Amino acid sequence: MPVTVVVGAQWGDEGKAKIIDLLSKEHTYVVRYQGGHNAGHTVVVDGEKYALQLVPSGVLYDHVVPVIANGVVVDLPTLFHEIDTLEGREISCADLKVSTLAHLIFPWHQAHDAIAEAMRGDDKIGTTLKGIGPAYADKARRVGVRAGEVVDLDRFAETVRARAIAENALIEQAGEPPLDVDEIVERFVAYGRRLQPYIADTVTLLHEALARGAQILLEGAQATFLDLDHGTYPYVTSSNPTAGGACAGSGLGPRDISRIVGITKAYTTRVGAGPFPTELLDADGETLIDVGKEFGTVTGRRRRAGWLDCVMLRQAVRLNSLTEIALTKLDILDGFESVKVCTGYRLDGELIHHYPDRSDVLARVEPVYETLSGWRTDLSEVREPGDLPDEARAFLAIVEREVGVPVNVVGVGAERDDYLLWTA
Ligand code: GDP
Ligand code: IMO
Ligand code: MG
């Protein structure tokens, strides 16, 4: 069973791309299975930063076939901009495959995203405004346009025109200016033509690869607590980043998967609205944001930050069947006198250890912390687990004890090689 899933264990931006880059060395196919260009996945190689939104993070390796599978919603302007940027930097995207079944994002999805956010007033979700929610809504309403439709460009043009006219009526009803239908049809037919060579039956492709014994890596975007079902609804994204979504979104079966790696930072961040039990609104929070450079890759928004929450991580283990954890950004805690880890919640005075399923209840819990001495040492050059200071080891031991699965990889810097690996 040579399939590995990488899934965010918090609210996104855990450093998934860096771990995917590391795991890509031993995988031939790297497959995005959900989300769209709301993702911002950063890999840093020799000081060169690659910020990927749609193209799988394994693309930086020549031996990797990058696959955008059926569960992804694809914004073609972004995809081609990304391909052009990568190819301009000598990274070939010639092998990229895009599933026939993946849904496309159109300008009306972005318009509806903005209208829906404006209508929520003070209760905004804080979406990326990329049209992700409306595109998935169209998929569920069975009016979406799929990538494979570009094989017949005349029909594709008719479909796009009909959809644009129908959506324009709704946009005008909401008091917004209509979109330019002719411009959209013309532009998307050109994108469609360019997309044709990338279109593939990726389900068959991946199963044939499996049959040949190829190693496949399924790259999650967003994260467990942004999951449409299991996240802090309605402050979530509109797909299922959790490991179950990896099967639906790629066409691989649950029994094909052997390894499910949950990625967590050594602390917690969130961008956008919604409950966040361990959020810090004090100087420690500022330090995490400043030292951790916690500004969104896609929207540039300042992230919210707080201590590591093991109640969430335990829930992430359950929801995803995590076999292991990769913990990133341990180096960001280097300067702290003391470091806290949340091990439980207090709800109306009572200690609870489970993660509440209601967002309004989660918003009311108070975190219970275990406080440890900080290590006050620069970890950025440490490469051997045995060279970690005792305090950093104590921190990792608490995480493993609380969460119940091993921490196998620890990140100590943004560069590709800034990690420590525990080998079995
Ligand atoms: P993703 O969306 O989960 O792939 O994560 P992002 O790329 O949005 O955000 C993670 C940020 O942290 C990026 O800027 C990475 O370069 C950086 N990063 C990843 N791992 C580490 C680490 O171990 N230490 C430090 N200092 N930075 C890291
Ligand atoms: P990566 O893959 C962090 C958040 C948005 C918002 C909510 C819904 O880089 O970890 P959407 O545009 O998806 O409808 O927004 O989800 N969000 C992310 N937060 N990292 C991401 O992706 C995110 N993708 C969406 O900020 O709160
Ligand atoms: Mg990100």
Side-chain angles (χ1 to χ4, degrees), residues 133-147:
Y136 278 117
D138 275 4
K139 176 177 175 177
R141 294 196 303 133
R142 292 156 295 179
V143 295
V145 181
R146 305 211 280 193

Side-chain angles (χ1 to χ4, degrees), residues 38-51:
N38 48 349
H41 291 181
T42 320
V43 183
V44 183
V45 185
D46 299 331
E48 289 269 326
K49 185 169 160 178
Y50 298 87

Side-chain angles (χ1 to χ4, degrees), residues 228-250:
L228 181 57
D229 286 83
H230 299 289
T232 47
Y233 193 89
Y235 305 102
V236 292
T237 194
S238 299
S239 65
N240 291 114
T242 42
C247 292
S250 68

